[in-house]
């Protein structure tokens, strides 16, 4: 498939010596090898795998916008292939999938500011947006934008949301978006912003004694006066529908707000969530527990940044940034597929923590690349020849220290 698609997009027409499978796999496992991931390291990985080696200039010539587009196609194909066995609890089998929408910023060279505008003038950054399927432990969708593009603009509502639960961060809070999710048969849980002012229409739990009545109040106006462990109320929110035929209409909808008191906080604050999940299915503390699943997405970003050094882009070329970014995502998808094989092979009682697995893969990446090249039938040049070629001086006009010493001492010796 790697070779056929490279032929389709014309990647190998200019250099028939180039072998696409070793190039792709070198980029994938190059992210997980050594202490850095420079382009020179990727070339060395390629030369240790392919039948013929490439000189630095020959390798760098392959890093083209066409290669970036090719790797993007591979990511799209891999998104449909990779899945890890279900590791979620039975309590949340009620949902078809639990999805986490989130994004992370990648710092880039300042000369890329025209292509990747940062939020501040002195900064340049790209933003990677992910839809992380927590149920299947893989990525359902992704996009790459400049840093200024808001995460919420990359989330599309539609029929695909039916029976799925989406966990959002505060940056995604939009009542119109929540209404569309509800109208498509989906569910959501999102922390409520401090400046949000939904009005309480009904309490969903009865309290004994002289409980403070909440109907008609704005949620943040009453939390400081409450001592109960949980809040569970219905609220009404107002929002504007998308403009149609040049006119924009206002609408309102009722959702549920739950609160769980943080006993460890000095000010005894509530953690408030807005949702459309019915009370008869999940209580406030259960929803808070489900929302903690978003931590898995944070671990995913941490794996990309710490194990595959995603945010260390030492280049001023936009297409090279894209190549490295798509290679990192492919590394992550391959990591998840290997974890699925590992889980299937190991005893049922063995647990593989994600970060420990990522570190293990990184430390064994070169061995995996060697085994893969051998399995695919590639015969790289003899090791001694490769060492000679890699270690020899390339720039003949630059003198080494030994040559400088010889040059300096030669007149004295001749005299």
């Amino acid at each position: 498939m790697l070779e056929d698609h490279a032929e389709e997009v014309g990647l190998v027409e200019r250099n028939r010596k180039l072998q696409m499978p070793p190039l792709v796999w070198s980029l994938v496992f190059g992210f997980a090898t050594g202490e850095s991931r420079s382009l020179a390291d990727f070339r060395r990985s390629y030369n240790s795998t392919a039948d013929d080696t490439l000189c630095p200039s020959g390798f760098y010539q392959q890093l083209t916008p066409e290669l970036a587009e090719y790797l993007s196609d591979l990511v799209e194909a891999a998104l449909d292939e990779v899945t890890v066995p279900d590791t979620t609890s039975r309590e949340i089998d009620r949902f078809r999938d639990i999805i986490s929408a989130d994004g992370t910023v990648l710092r880039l060279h300042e000369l890329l500011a025209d292509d990747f505008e940062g939020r501040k003038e002195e900064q340049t950054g790209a933003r990677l947006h992910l839809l992380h399927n927590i149920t299947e432990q893989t990525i359902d969708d992704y996009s790459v934008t400049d840093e200024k593009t808001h995460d919420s603009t990359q989330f599309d509502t539609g029929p695909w949301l039916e029976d799925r639960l989406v966990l959002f961060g505060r940056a995604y809070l939009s009542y119109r978006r929540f209404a569309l999710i509800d109208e498509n048969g989906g569910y959501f849980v999102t922390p409520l912003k401090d400046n949000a002012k939904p009005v309480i229409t009904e309490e969903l739990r009865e309290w004994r004694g002289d409980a403070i009545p909440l109907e008609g109040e704005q949620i943040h106006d009453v939390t400081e006066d409450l001592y109960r462990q949980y809040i569970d109320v219905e609220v009404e929110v107002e929002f504007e529908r998308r403009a149609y035929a040049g006119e924009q209409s206002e609408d309102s909808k009722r959702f549920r707000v739950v609160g769980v008191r943080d006993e460890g906080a000095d000010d005894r604050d509530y953690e408030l969530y807005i949702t459309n999940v019915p009370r008869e299915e999940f209580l406030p503390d259960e929803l808070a527990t489900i929302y903690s699943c978003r931590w898995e997405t944070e671990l995913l970003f941490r794996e990309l940044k710490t194990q595959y050094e995603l945010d260390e882009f030492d280049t001023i070329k936009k297409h090279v940034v894209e190549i490295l970014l798509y290679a990192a995502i492919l590394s992550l998808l391959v990591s998840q597929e290997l974890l699925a094989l590992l889980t299937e092979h190991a005893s049922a009682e063995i647990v593989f923590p994600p970060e420990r697995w990522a570190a293990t893969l990184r430390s064994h990446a070169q061995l995996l690349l060697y085994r893969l090249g051998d399995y695919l039938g590639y015969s790289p040049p003899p090791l001694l020849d490769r060492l000679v070629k890699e270690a020899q001086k390339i720039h003949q006009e630059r003198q080494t220290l030994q040559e400088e010493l010889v040059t300096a001492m030669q007149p004295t010796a001749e005299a």
Side-chain angles (χ1 to χ4, degrees), residues 152-153 155-158 161 168 172-184 188 237-244 248-253 255 274:
S152 63
T153 64
F155 184 86
D156 295 324
T157 54
L161 286 162
F168 292 110
Y172 289 83
L173 194 144
S174 164
Y175 298 142
R176 183 170 67 85
R177 176 179 298 110
F178 296 161
L180 290 172
I181 292 174
D182 187 68
E183 290 159 8
N184 278 282
F188 65 90
V237 299
E238 296 179 349
F239 60 95
E240 291 184 341
R241 291 284 184 178
R242 179 170 293 177
Y244 179 75
Q248 195 162 32
S249 61
E250 293 186 354
D251 203 348
S252 65
K253 205 164 183 77
F255 296 121
I274 185 168

Side-chain angles (χ1 to χ4, degrees), residues 311-331:
D311 58 348
E312 296 184 17
F313 293 97
D314 188 20
T315 178
I316 60 173
K317 295 182 179 180
K318 178 177 181 288
H319 63 271
V320 175
V321 169
E322 293 172 342
I323 287 171
L324 298 179
L325 178 58
Y326 297 142
I329 297 174
L330 285 171
S331 297

Side-chain angles (χ1 to χ4, degrees), residues 355-390:
E355 290 189 299
R356 185 175 181 86
W357 161 246
T360 302
L361 175 63
R362 174 174 175 144
S363 64
H364 289 77
Q366 202 62 39
L367 177 60
L368 285 166
L369 187 60
Y370 172 78
R371 291 286 188 91
L372 183 60
D374 184 60
Y375 173 78
L376 294 174
Y378 294 103
S379 301
L383 178 60
L384 185 60
D385 291 346
R386 281 185 281 131
L387 291 175
V388 170
K389 181 170 290 188
E390 290 294 335

Side-chain angles (χ1 to χ4, degrees), residues 15-51:
N15 188 352
R16 291 291 175 179
K17 182 180 178 181
L18 178 69
Q19 295 176 299
M20 287 308 299
L23 178 62
V24 171
W25 287 113
S26 297
L27 290 170
V28 168
F29 286 114
F31 269 88
T33 304
E35 296 302 321
S36 64
R37 54 171 191 82
S38 66
L39 296 178
D41 290 329
F42 284 125
R43 184 181 66 84
R44 294 187 186 100
S45 292
Y46 174 86
N47 285 346
S48 67
T49 308
D51 292 332

Side-chain angles (χ1 to χ4, degrees), residues 208-227:
R208 296 179 181 178
D210 296 328
I212 299 174
L214 302 182
E215 283 103 352
E217 302 286 346
Q218 291 184 354
I219 186 68
H220 284 298
D221 291 343
V222 297
T223 54
E224 293 183 359
D225 299 325
L226 299 178
Y227 291 90

